[in-house]
Amino acid sequence: MNRFCVLISLLSICAVTYSQNVIVKTITVRGNKIISSAAVMAAMVTREGDVLRQEELRNDEGRILNIGFFKGVQILTRPLVSEFEVEVVVDLVENPIIIEVFITGNTVVSTERLTEIVTEIQELGRILNNRNLRLIRDALEEEYFDRGYFMQIDRLEPDPLSEGTLRIAILEPIVDDIRFIGLNRTKPSVIRRIMKTKPGVAFSELQFRRDREELFATYWFDNITARTITKDEPAHYDLEMVFVEARTGQFNAGVSLDPQSNLVGQISFSESNWRGMGQTVSVNLSQATRGGGVSAELGWGDRFFDTLGTSINARVYSRVVYHFTGNGIGGFNSPIGGQFNERRTGGTFVVGRPLNDTIRAFIGVRAENLLTLNVDPGATNFIMQDGVIAVLQLGLDHNTRHPSVESYEGHLARIMLEPTYTNINKIAGTFEGFTGILGPNYFLRTTLEYRSFWSSPVPEDTPVDKPRSVVAFRIKYGVISGDVPFFEQLFVGGSDSLRGYTNQRFWGKQSLLATLEYRYPIQRSFSVVAFTDYGGAWGGYGGIDSFTQSSKMDLRLGYGLGVSFRTPIGPIRIDFAFNQDGGSRTHFTFGTSF
């Protein structure tokens, strides 16, 4: 009896085990037109002849979808004649063949460029691969990010109503309104002219940061804070900016020493935000004990004249120019033994306007009457070339600097043409034999200049007014064709060119100057600068006493350290410079080097 029960139990176990081993007799793939059945079955783990496992069939659905060419996969089983054999049926819905790409919502990047990006990933005329959709999304976001914008993909799928069309809908963030808080003096209209971030257009966080940097560069504000306000409508925002206005007007009166220890009385007024309109106004009066009379100058400018980005600068003056005096201390020796001054009376007017985001054109005029003053009786060591001069200025800039003042990145490439009319009616002194410049004459001055700025990237949350360490480079070449008065030559030497040398130390019809600086900020208003200057001028008038000149290129080296201060009246620099001849000078300058 016991043996019989054991036998019955074993037979029952074998029957149950055998009943579970249903075999996959065949695999049928349906619905595919382009992708081969072999490719589909190769993606499956289940094979013909395998024991049927329902969980593995569900996993095979995912594996087939991962091929990327199907938008629908369903695996079913169908019993055959034998109850222990089944047919596995794979039902597929293939993706369409993409024959066109339709993109909407883009304004920042052209449809042609976006289509090019998409079709580099998903070729036209080929079946859509689902895996390409993620690649397309990432590539489009990267294209926007490289341009300083963020975006969202609202739709990226085949169009169910248009066979073969891949439809892409882009959401670009839009600024609906910009609110200004704290502007007690500055007109909001001026701020709007400066800012390239505008209501109703795509918002760029990079451009908004650059706008704030440009606003700081005006020196009108002590602080600017900003925040983005999210709205209910997707991808729509408001901006709120809070300003703390700075002091922009200065009045100065006093007595100072010029580089040759002559007393100079000065009265000046300057305003960089006149009437809150962003205009600059300046009045300067000075009288030196050296003689020559009062110097007077009136200036007006508007960098943000209209919504087109037009800039206007005008200046009228009657000032005494003390040539060969320089603006530094140390190693000074004038080549002119006798005393003489030159009064220049006239004015300048320059208009600039952008042609696009990086190209800007300039046109201007300068007209002056030249009159030599205070020539010592009996002196021969002086330069007199009196008359009139009229200059037409034609310039073109390619500018990617940020910001426009105290730049930390980008470059500036400039060409300036200055066709000039002169009518010298009186010459005397050192170069009185140069009679070729008498009467009406013309010459052309051409200047080529390139500047470049580099700095290390900073985190996005770095305050916009935090100064950066910057490497700055400039190279400038000038050439003059035609007969030119002595003081219209190209001069090199002094604080704005070749430091370590006397002002106007080298002159000629050609000049070349290269400057490399490393600017390291100690704090917001104070920086240390290491610099190297290399350049010279040649091919002009002959030498004067110790100021020997060259008819061929002869470049000199200057180098040193300096400090720069940001003050309410503008930047001030003090440079301690050495030259290759063993000399040294200390240069004082209002403004930045370049």
Side-chain angles (χ1 to χ4, degrees):
M1 182 64 180
N2 290 336
R3 292 179 180 177
F4 179 79
C5 292
V6 170
L7 179 61
I8 294 299
S9 298
L10 290 174
L11 291 174
S12 298
I13 293 172
C14 291
V16 171
T17 302
Y18 181 73
S19 66
Q20 290 177 342
N21 288 340
V22 177
I23 304 301
V24 176
K25 178 65 174 178
T26 60
I27 299 176
T28 302
V29 179
R30 302 186 307 191
N32 56 312
K33 299 178 181 178
I34 300 173
I35 306 303
S36 68
S37 298
V40 175
M41 289 188 287
M44 300 173 61
V45 170
T46 302
R47 296 285 187 266
E48 293 178 350
D50 288 352
V51 175
L52 177 67
R53 296 182 178 86
Q54 293 293 340
E55 182 179 356
E56 202 61 66
L57 289 182
R58 288 192 294 271
N59 292 335
D60 281 341
E61 287 181 348
R63 295 184 182 103
I64 295 171
L65 280 174
N66 285 339
I67 296 175
F69 296 113
F70 306 101
K71 60 182 178 181
V73 177
Q74 186 177 22
I75 299 179
L76 306 172
T77 58
R78 185 166 60 187
L80 299 177
V81 176
S82 171
E83 61 180 311
F84 301 115
E85 293 180 335
V86 296
E87 177 188 13
V88 171
V89 179
V90 182
D91 281 326
L92 303 172
V93 179
E94 284 184 334
N95 284 333
I97 295 175
I98 300 301
I99 58 176
E100 68 170 348
V101 177
F102 188 76
I103 302 174
T104 59
N106 57 302
T107 63
V108 173
V109 187
S110 68
T111 300
E112 291 76 16
R113 174 56 184 157
L114 295 179
T115 303
E116 178 185 356
I117 293 172
V118 173
T119 54
E120 285 177 355
I121 299 171
Q122 175 63 55
E123 294 184 43
L124 298 182
R126 292 184 177 273
I127 187 172
L128 174 66
N129 190 326
N130 294 329
R131 290 178 295 182
N132 288 342
L133 297 180
R134 167 50 61 184
L135 297 177
I136 291 171
R137 181 184 298 270
D138 292 345
L140 296 182
E141 289 178 349
E142 183 179 359
E143 179 72 16
Y144 269 78
F145 182 79
D146 289 345
R147 297 170 184 246
Y149 290 84
F150 295 97
M151 53 85 83
Q152 302 174 31
I153 300 292
D154 187 50
R155 182 180 181 184
L156 176 56
E157 61 184 3
D159 191 338
L161 302 179
S162 177
E163 182 72 19
T165 299
L166 179 62
R167 183 174 291 273
I168 303 174
I170 292 174
L171 283 179
E172 297 176 343
I174 301 296
V175 175
D176 290 332
D177 187 31
I178 305 177
R179 295 188 288 273
F180 305 131
I181 300 173
L183 294 179
N184 299 315
R185 185 162 184 243
T186 308
K187 300 296 190 293
S189 59
V190 178
I191 305 298
R192 293 191 180 98
R193 290 177 189 174
I194 296 173
M195 295 179 60
K196 293 185 178 180
T197 301
K198 307 290 184 183
V201 298
F203 173 70
S204 165
E205 180 63 43
L206 174 61
Q207 184 58 62
F208 187 45
R209 180 183 181 89
R210 289 177 173 174
D211 286 341
R212 286 174 286 164
E213 291 173 341
E214 202 64 43
L215 288 169
F216 266 114
T218 64
Y219 301 107
W220 301 341
F221 308 103
D222 284 330
N223 193 26
I224 304 173
T225 56
R227 68 189 184 106
T228 304
I229 302 173
T230 304
K231 305 185 72 175
D232 294 336
E233 188 176 356
H236 281 253
Y237 305 89
D238 286 346
L239 299 178
E240 188 175 87
M241 304 179 66
V242 180
F243 297 85
V244 177
E245 293 182 307
R247 178 184 176 187
T248 57
Q250 292 290 321
F251 176 81
N252 296 286
V255 177
S256 62
L257 292 176
D258 70 12
Q260 290 185 321
S261 299
N262 296 298
L263 287 174
V264 179
Q266 293 181 325
I267 298 177
S268 65
F269 168 77
S270 64
E271 169 60 69
S272 63
N273 191 11
W274 178 253
R275 299 169 55 199
M277 295 296 293
Q279 300 171 359
T280 59
V281 175
S282 62
V283 179
N284 293 278
L285 299 173
S286 64
Q287 170 70 67
T289 57
R290 181 177 176 180
V294 175
S295 291
E297 183 173 330
L298 174 64
W300 175 85
D302 193 342
R303 291 172 53 200
F304 318 104
F305 180 75
D306 58 22
T307 57
L308 299 176
T310 304
S311 63
I312 300 178
N313 286 280
R315 193 170 298 273
V316 292
Y317 48 82
S318 180
R319 58 194 177 197
V320 179
V321 180
Y322 303 102
H323 290 294
F324 299 111
T325 58
N327 51 356
I329 297 175
F332 176 80
N333 63 325
S334 172
I336 302 296
Q339 179 179 344
F340 83 101
N341 308 316
E342 183 185 36
R343 178 174 290 278
R344 293 197 168 213
T345 302
T348 63
F349 184 81
V350 181
V351 178
R353 174 169 288 186
L355 304 181
N356 56 36
D357 289 341
T358 59
I359 304 295
R360 188 176 186 86
F362 298 88
I363 183 170
V365 294
R366 172 169 66 95
E368 293 179 331
N369 181 73
L370 314 179
L371 179 64
T372 305
L373 306 173
N374 300 335
V375 178
D376 289 340
T380 58
N381 201 14
F382 66 95
I383 301 171
M384 175 186 289
Q385 296 180 346
D386 294 349
V388 296
I389 181 171
V391 183
L392 176 64
Q393 299 171 328
L394 304 171
L396 196 66
D397 285 358
H398 182 270
N399 187 7
T400 63
R401 297 175 300 164
H402 299 288
S404 58
V405 178
E406 298 182 6
S407 306
Y408 64 81
E409 69 176 4
H411 73 262
L412 169 69
R414 171 176 294 167
I415 179 170
M416 179 72 75
L417 301 177
E418 296 178 287
T420 303
Y421 166 81
T422 65
N423 190 353
I424 302 300
N425 52 53
K426 186 177 182 181
I427 61 173
T430 304
F431 298 109
E432 64 180 350
F434 283 64
T435 57
I437 65 170
L438 282 171
N441 277 291
Y442 299 89
F443 69 87
L444 174 66
R445 177 171 27 229
T446 303
T447 305
L448 304 175
E449 184 175 1
Y450 177 78
R451 305 177 187 181
S452 192
F453 305 86
W454 302 272
S455 64
S456 300
V458 298
E460 292 183 2
D461 58 352
T462 302
V464 295
D465 61 334
K466 183 177 180 179
R468 306 187 187 192
S469 57
V470 178
V471 175
F473 172 75
R474 176 183 65 178
I475 186 167
K476 186 176 182 180
Y477 172 74
V479 60
I480 295 174
S481 58
D483 294 326
V484 55
F486 183 87
F487 288 115
E488 291 298 318
Q489 294 180 102
L490 300 165
F491 287 86
V492 171
S495 59
D496 291 328
S497 55
L498 186 59
R499 285 164 284 192
Y501 288 90
T502 302
N503 200 38
Q504 299 174 295
R505 174 59 184 85
F506 305 102
W507 58 75
K509 285 190 173 182
Q510 293 190 72
S511 69
L512 179 65
L513 177 70
T515 296
L516 183 66
E517 292 189 348
Y518 176 66
R519 304 165 182 172
Y520 182 80
I522 303 300
Q523 53 183 244
R524 178 179 173 183
S525 300
F526 175 62
S527 298
V528 176
V529 181
F531 60 85
T532 298
D533 300 328
Y534 188 63
W538 64 94
Y541 286 69
I544 305 175
D545 292 344
S546 62
F547 277 22
T548 57
Q549 301 298 313
S550 175
S551 60
K552 299 180 180 180
M553 181 185 291
D554 182 17
L555 306 183
R556 305 298 181 95
L557 177 68
Y559 56 92
L561 294 173
V563 291
S564 176
F565 304 91
R566 179 184 290 184
T567 72
I569 61 174
I572 296 177
R573 289 188 298 122
I574 305 175
D575 294 326
F576 307 93
F578 302 87
N579 62 51
Q580 70 180 40
D581 301 323
S584 63
R585 288 183 65 81
T586 301
H587 301 279
F588 299 90
T589 311
F590 285 95
T592 58
S593 54
F594 61 91

